[in-house]
Amino acid sequence: MIYSFESTDASYKEFIDELHKRSLDYELIKRDKIVVRIFGHVNDELRSRLDSIVDSRKLVLKKSAERESPFIDGRKMFIAGPCSVESEEQLDAIARFLSSRGITYLRGGAFKPRTQSSSFQGLGKAGLRILSETARRYNMKVVTELMDRSQLNDVIEHADIIQVGSRNMFNYTLLTALGSVDRPILLKRGMAATIDEWVYAADYIRKGGNTDIILCERGIRTFEPRTRFTLDILAIPLARKMSGLPVIADASHAAGSRDLVPPLVRASLAAGADGVMVEVHQSPGEALSDGAQSMSFGDYAELLVELHESGWYQPTNLRASQTADPD
Ligand code: PEP
Ligand code: MN
């Protein structure tokens, strides 16, 4: 829950006193306005108490912005982009290609959870800025990962959908914090999480009042070493049914190699996935992360044409996606 106050108004102090009295966890941000973000669940009694302070002092209550659902007319959600944002030039080339094929959700990591600390860790805040500026140029929306609560204000400023990565699915402090933000959350399944644990993790976000959640099956760790992970196809219809939430599949991280991505995309859609996420790079061999599983422009364009012909992919800017030549 977020409240914002005019910076000239000192009466927010009474509001803060109330939060202190109740030992509530909150964050205070002083910019052009004073923003108070309350973490965790705000029950009806507390809400009306806080609202009464707000009303009596004529403070400004920040309302959630009206958002367009990513699932308009039951269309599948297609998210694509590089594993990591590497530079302005890289993201511009990728976004230009994707938008010419009708893709509207641009993914890209700015804060990267890498297995080895010596690997590229992402561009951080600079990467977020590149993401939102590029997305704006091509009329796309940004999907990016939040790794830690300390990054929340920056990520909210630049992301349309906040991704919680597989490694953080069990981070209940982070999930609770996301319960109070006004952005949809893309919650990836932990690589060793049961379906129950994954659905329960979504409840931590829901409990804080944010019900805009998309689950993402991204493969689990099994005894099979030939693939990076094992995409749990059955988890797609099961988690959908158990949670009542949309479920998409990340084919790239499960496959680990680009040639296995198209069959996983087809299988996920056939199993009822509400969308698919794929890593795409203009030069996969030179990618700073996950190059082996990133699809080239040509291969991804070909996959989209096939999915369009089979009725799975219905982009809004159809003309561009059909007539532009694959790069
Ligand atoms: C990612 O999508 O960039 C990522 C790191 O995925 P996961 O959390 O599923 O490993
Ligand atoms: Mn990746």
Side-chain angles (χ1 to χ4, degrees):
M1 184 117 237
I2 298 170
Y3 286 81
S4 86
F5 301 78
E6 295 299 343
S7 55
T8 47
D9 197 333
S11 58
Y12 73 90
K13 291 196 177 109
E14 183 181 341
F15 190 93
I16 298 292
D17 283 348
E18 189 66 31
L19 301 182
H20 270 295
K21 233 188 284 170
R22 296 169 184 252
S23 308
L24 285 167
D25 186 14
Y26 68 92
E27 185 177 29
L28 183 65
I29 307 147
K30 292 184 180 172
R31 288 196 186 151
D32 51 331
K33 287 209 185 338
I34 295 168
V35 178
V36 184
R37 176 174 291 124
I38 305 166
F39 294 108
H41 182 56
V42 174
N43 63 25
D44 291 347
E45 185 275 322
L46 173 61
R47 195 186 168 130
S48 58
R49 169 75 189 117
L50 294 177
D51 285 354
S52 74
I53 300 174
V54 169
D55 286 342
S56 66
R57 302 297 178 102
K58 295 199 187 68
L59 303 179
V60 184
L61 173 62
K62 187 172 176 182
K63 294 209 172 69
S64 305
E66 286 289 316
R67 271 193 314 267
E68 204 179 74
S69 162
F71 301 102
I72 317 160
D73 310 330
R75 284 200 186 128
K76 305 287 181 191
M77 185 181 195
F78 280 73
I79 306 175
C83 178
S84 306
V85 178
E86 298 170 7
S87 67
E88 270 177 38
E89 297 69 35
Q90 172 236 22
L91 202 66
D92 185 80
I94 296 173
R96 186 172 348 115
F97 158 70
L98 293 174
S99 69
S100 78
R101 300 311 192 273
I103 299 292
T104 50
Y105 287 94
L106 178 65
R107 65 145 286 145
F111 296 105
K112 294 301 304 174
R114 304 304 303 281
T115 303
Q116 293 185 319
S117 58
S118 54
S119 303
F120 176 59
Q121 303 286 308
L123 297 181
K125 284 189 200 181
L128 292 176
R129 234 184 345 267
I130 294 174
L131 266 171
S132 61
E133 284 170 9
T134 308
R136 201 172 319 125
R137 272 201 300 285
Y138 294 99
N139 201 18
M140 299 177 86
K141 298 215 161 98
V142 170
V143 182
T144 197
E145 179 165 353
L146 169 81
M147 281 176 62
D148 188 78
R149 193 171 128 177
S150 60
Q151 300 154 352
L152 188 57
N153 290 322
D154 291 312
V155 170
I156 284 182
E157 204 177 316
H158 299 279
D160 296 288
I161 297 182
I162 300 176
Q163 178 174 321
V164 174
S166 186
R167 291 155 188 82
N168 258 324
M169 191 214 82
F170 285 110
N171 185 340
Y172 298 127
T173 321
L174 189 68
L175 299 177
T176 301
L178 291 173
S180 60
V181 310
D182 64 346
R183 292 284 182 287
I185 308 300
L186 181 69
L187 178 62
K188 288 203 164 190
R189 180 178 179 182
M191 61 186 76
T194 65
I195 297 172
D196 278 7
E197 287 167 336
W198 182 28
V199 170
Y200 294 153
D203 288 339
Y204 272 88
I205 304 169
R206 270 204 259 227
K207 212 172 153 197
N210 185 0
T211 54
D212 225 343
I213 305 164
I214 302 160
L215 298 177
C216 179
E217 162 62 37
R218 46 79 72 207
I220 50 173
R221 192 159 268 166
T222 66
F223 52 81
E224 179 51 67
R226 280 220 169 252
T227 53
R228 190 172 181 192
F229 293 97
T230 299
L231 192 76
D232 185 2
I233 293 289
L234 271 176
I236 297 168
L238 259 176
R240 266 180 118 238
K241 192 166 166 200
M242 287 165 62
S243 66
L245 295 169
V247 178
I248 68 164
D250 171 349
S252 305
H253 287 88
S257 58
R258 69 182 72 91
D259 54 317
L260 293 174
V261 172
L264 287 188
V265 165
R266 290 182 203 110
S268 303
L269 293 169
D274 296 281
V276 278
M277 177 191 266
V278 170
E279 285 182 340
V280 176
H281 198 281
Q282 84 281 23
S283 177
E286 290 165 47
L288 295 183
S289 59
D290 287 350
Q293 69 195 29
S294 299
M295 290 184 80
S296 66
F297 290 179
D299 288 348
Y300 189 61
E302 214 173 280
L303 177 64
L304 290 179
V305 168
E306 181 209 306
L307 296 174
H308 177 61
E309 284 167 1
S310 50
W312 294 118
Y313 181 51
Q314 298 158 289
T316 34
N317 78 355
L318 251 180
R319 202 198 57 77
S321 67
Q322 281 186 313
T323 54
D325 294 322
D327 294 295

